Amino acid sequence: MKGIRAKDEYVSVFVNNLPKGMHWRWLKQLFEYHGKVIDAFILNKRNIKGKRIGFVRYANINDANKAINRMGILASKVAYRCQFGKI
């Protein structure tokens, strides 16, 4: 079907160290600057250090790479760490 993609075509970006009050909608909006975001969510669980974590799912790998490269530069300022995540 045209316009519907297989799950394998999406690329997830892992986001670590999210601020306490961040909502998934704001996370999605923040990452939409870098490309087409399919979905964003923040887990209820926390990492080993007690920080919040989440995922942002992009429509293609180019947009995901843009986000990782750009947000990696900003990581020291806003305390995000981005890397590829498994779907």
Side-chain angles (χ1 to χ4, degrees), residues 1-56:
M1 293 178 70
K2 191 173 184 178
I4 297 177
R5 293 176 162 242
K7 185 177 179 181
D8 296 342
E9 294 182 34
Y10 299 138
V11 179
S12 291
V13 176
F14 173 75
V15 185
N16 192 25
N17 204 20
L18 294 169
K20 184 178 179 181
M22 180 176 263
H23 192 274
W24 69 267
R25 288 183 186 128
W26 189 55
L27 179 65
K28 182 178 179 183
Q29 185 178 19
L30 178 68
F31 278 83
E32 281 178 334
Y33 174 78
H34 308 291
K36 183 174 177 161
V37 173
I38 302 300
D39 189 19
F41 60 94
I42 298 173
L43 280 67
N44 290 329
K45 294 184 178 182
R46 297 176 185 263
N47 69 10
I48 294 172
K49 296 181 180 180
K51 303 291 183 176
R52 297 177 75 208
I53 57 176
F55 290 89
V56 178

Side-chain angles (χ1 to χ4, degrees), residues 61-86:
I61 196 164
N62 293 330
D63 291 346
N65 277 326
K66 278 192 252 179
I68 291 168
N69 292 332
R70 291 177 181 171
M71 294 302 284
I73 293 168
L74 296 175
S76 61
K77 294 181 183 177
V78 294
Y80 298 125
R81 188 181 67 136
C82 302
Q83 63 192 47
F84 284 109
K86 294 182 181 179

